[in-house]
Amino acid sequence: MPPSTAHLPAGRIAALRQAESERFVTAHPQSLALARAAQAHYLFGVPLHWMRDWPSPATLFVREAQGVTLHCADGLRYADFCLGDTGAMFGHSPPPLAEAIAQQAARGLTCMLPAVNAVAVGEGLQRVFGLPRWQMALTASDANRFVLRWARAVTQRPQLLVFDGCYHGAVDDTLVDLDPATGRTLPRPSVLGQVHNHAAFTRVVPFNDLAALKAALAQGDVACLLAEPALTNFGLVPPAPGFWAAARALCRQHGALFVCDETHTISTALGGHARAHTLEPDFLVVGKAVAGGLPCAVYGFTEDMAARMAAAKDAAPEGHSGIGTTLSGNALTLAALEAALNHLHTEASYRHMLALAARLEQSLRERIARAGMPWTVTRLGARMELQFMPETPQNAQDVRDRAQSELEALTHLFMLNRGVLLTPFHSMLLVSPATCDADADRLLQVFDELLVALSVG
Ligand SMILES: Cc1ncc(COP(=O)(O)O)c(C=O)c1O
């Protein structure tokens, strides 16, 4: 298969990227000044080092974000399709959420006791996601970490099973790769300060590969399969038809729990992919957008699991469980979560998101076909990925083999310079209830300009 940039004149992408970098510098004097000043206070000049992983030549500083409109330090306006990499999937500061947070902020932030709305929040979680019992954390990374402890505790099994290309947050056990030559687990080389050998307790198999899954489960020592319903952090790789029904059956057959990480795939439908496709997880993890972007994550589980978790806790000696953090389930978070469950996780939100995302997907596909580019668009509900490869990938190795990182970086910067924000690292775009036709039209217009720029010699 020819690389999907082989038809472009040599050097075109690099030349365009250089021109776009210069354009960014000229248009963003305030961001540049802030970026220089911030070097004195922050590692790499940013509060979190990932913020320098965007392909712009300097950090873009944000003045304000509301709905899907973001204004940078230089007063320029952007239609935001990154949406905080899903944290702001329902739009930035939706009014019912901002109001609930402001009201609770005057009534106590954290007490290490449940606020009186805890019951209403539990009812809301069951209504939206279907599972009856819940616990809270502040980040999806934490929620995944805690669920892994519960899963190992209740099954008394050591092994974790994940898919190659997975990302479940800063969870040590999951930061591993698959060695394609041997099928063995490898530590992810980019992970800093790693001393524990997670290869000893984590098995990795390719996504959409039932034979490999079966072989990994057959040894009878897997506590749980931790998986997103579709890979969303290594491009967007959807499940093959029938994959999950068979995978779920294999987990049951071999006594392994199924932990479904819906942190990104809640873009699929109201209540997430697992609910829409009846995946029947033992545990369900949702973070990021679950409380509209205020730090919050939740994990839900079945009654059977709750009984097994209670038994494991009762059987353990008094003392630290290794599960939980002081601020988890705090009053401010509960207030935000209640408002989000009532006003954001709604049929109306998803009706709008899914319809507009479908139109955008179709329009991008038409443009790609007209321009004769060997690219595709893969969509999962409200999120889609512009993929610089001819077909939707089947697993992480497909993505590794075909990735076009230079073209992705150019696309990102080209769009940013024209007022459209895509997610960095891969070209993901997410449609929120606040995204309107004009935002989609703006994106399509800029995409047209990119296609022209790439084709003009
Ligand atoms: C599927 C998935 N799970 C968990 C996480 C971790 O979320 P957080 O960084 O908010 O802890 C991420 C982050 O991107 C994610 O994509």
Side-chain angles (χ1 to χ4, degrees):
M1 179 135 352
S4 57
T5 51
H7 55 295
L8 300 175
R12 170 65 51 77
I13 292 173
L16 284 172
R17 175 106 188 255
Q18 179 60 31
E20 292 304 320
S21 290
E22 287 162 16
R23 181 172 171 149
F24 180 95
V25 168
T26 307
H28 296 89
Q30 295 294 336
S31 269
L32 258 66
L34 287 167
R36 265 193 302 276
Q39 290 290 345
H41 307 294
Y42 296 106
L43 182 67
F44 305 116
V46 280
L48 167 62
H49 72 85
W50 305 352
M51 292 173 178
R52 268 315 293 134
D53 289 349
W54 290 53
S56 47
T59 308
L60 184 75
F61 281 75
V62 176
R63 189 175 299 288
E64 193 183 332
Q66 177 68 58
V68 293
T69 303
L70 194 141
H71 284 96
C72 72
D74 289 280
L76 303 174
R77 181 192 163 109
Y78 305 83
D80 189 0
F81 288 87
C82 167
L83 295 171
D85 193 14
T86 311
M89 184 183 81
F90 294 111
H92 296 285
S93 293
L97 184 75
E99 204 175 302
I101 291 172
Q103 279 180 12
Q104 185 60 44
R107 292 203 305 256
L109 303 178
T110 187
C111 309
M112 263 271 288
L113 285 168
V116 289
N117 65 344
V119 174
V121 170
E123 285 167 3
L125 287 168
Q126 177 162 16
R127 184 183 71 246
V128 171
F129 297 108
L131 283 159
R133 304 290 286 267
W134 295 87
Q135 287 283 275
M136 297 186 60
L138 285 179
T139 66
S141 299
D142 272 350
N144 280 321
R145 236 190 311 271
F146 301 154
V147 170
L148 292 188
R149 271 196 195 279
W150 283 119
R152 283 172 164 144
V154 303
T155 59
Q156 294 289 301
R157 290 176 170 194
Q159 290 288 334
L160 163 66
L161 184 55
V162 294
F163 289 117
D164 186 30
C166 73
Y167 185 68
H168 298 285
V171 184
D172 285 349
D173 302 69
T174 63
L175 294 169
V176 290
D177 290 325
L178 176 68
D179 181 345
T182 64
R184 297 232 298 271
T185 307
L186 296 174
R188 205 166 275 180
S190 55
V191 175
L192 299 174
Q194 186 77 329
V195 291
H196 299 289
N197 177 16
H198 292 291
F201 294 105
T202 304
R203 250 168 237 154
V204 194
V205 293
F207 193 59
N208 279 326
D209 186 337
L210 287 170
L213 189 69
K214 186 173 179 182
L217 288 166
Q219 298 171 48
D221 55 358
V222 172
C224 68
L225 167 66
L226 168 60
E228 292 187 274
L231 297 184
T232 67
N233 285 289
F234 215 87
L236 180 56
V237 184
F243 174 72
W244 273 116
R248 188 68 190 94
L250 282 171
C251 287
R252 286 209 174 94
Q253 184 188 340
H254 294 284
L257 304 177
F258 170 40
V259 180
C260 183
D261 182 351
E262 287 266 28
T263 298
H264 279 176
T265 49
I266 54 163
S267 64
T268 306
L270 177 61
H273 194 285
R275 189 159 203 196
H277 295 270
T278 328
L279 301 193
E280 298 182 352
D282 296 295
F283 287 93
L284 182 90
V285 172
V286 195
K288 295 200 184 186
V290 71
L294 195 84
C296 175
V298 294
Y299 55 100
F301 33 93
T302 59
E303 290 292 357
D304 172 49
M305 214 41 58
R308 292 173 69 184
M309 292 157 77
K313 177 82 178 87
D314 289 347
E318 287 278 304
H320 297 138
S321 63
I323 295 170
T325 56
T326 312
L327 299 181
S328 297
N330 68 71
L332 188 69
T333 304
L334 279 179
L337 184 54
E338 184 179 17
L341 291 166
N342 289 338
H343 301 288
L344 307 180
H345 295 267
T346 63
E347 290 287 1
S349 294
Y350 280 87
R351 207 176 307 120
H352 176 83
M353 290 154 74
L354 268 54
L356 187 50
R359 164 162 107 74
L360 203 46
E361 176 198 21
Q362 182 60 25
S363 304
L364 286 168
R365 280 177 176 277
E366 282 165 14
R367 283 163 166 77
I368 290 168
R370 259 203 314 273
M373 292 294 188
W375 306 342
T376 193
V377 178
T378 300
R379 182 169 70 87
L380 194 72
R383 77 194 298 119
M384 75 197 80
E385 180 106 8
L386 179 57
Q387 293 172 320
F388 300 108
M389 53 191 79
E391 297 121 27
T392 295
Q394 299 293 302
N395 55 41
Q397 196 55 42
D398 265 358
V399 179
R400 282 187 199 102
D401 291 345
R402 298 167 172 191
Q404 305 286 346
S405 54
E406 280 306 302
L407 183 53
E408 276 180 10
L410 167 65
T411 301
H412 193 279
L413 186 54
F414 189 97
M415 294 222 163
L416 185 153
N417 277 338
R418 289 155 185 81
V420 175
L421 281 191
L422 303 187
T423 311
F425 324 130
H426 47 109
S427 300
M428 189 279 281
L429 31 136
L430 189 57
V431 171
S432 96
T435 313
C436 60
D437 284 342
D439 301 308
D441 290 343
R442 177 76 197 134
L443 184 141
L444 292 169
Q445 184 191 333
V446 175
F447 188 62
D448 283 339
E449 290 173 31
L450 174 69
L451 289 169
V452 169
L454 283 169
S455 59
V456 170

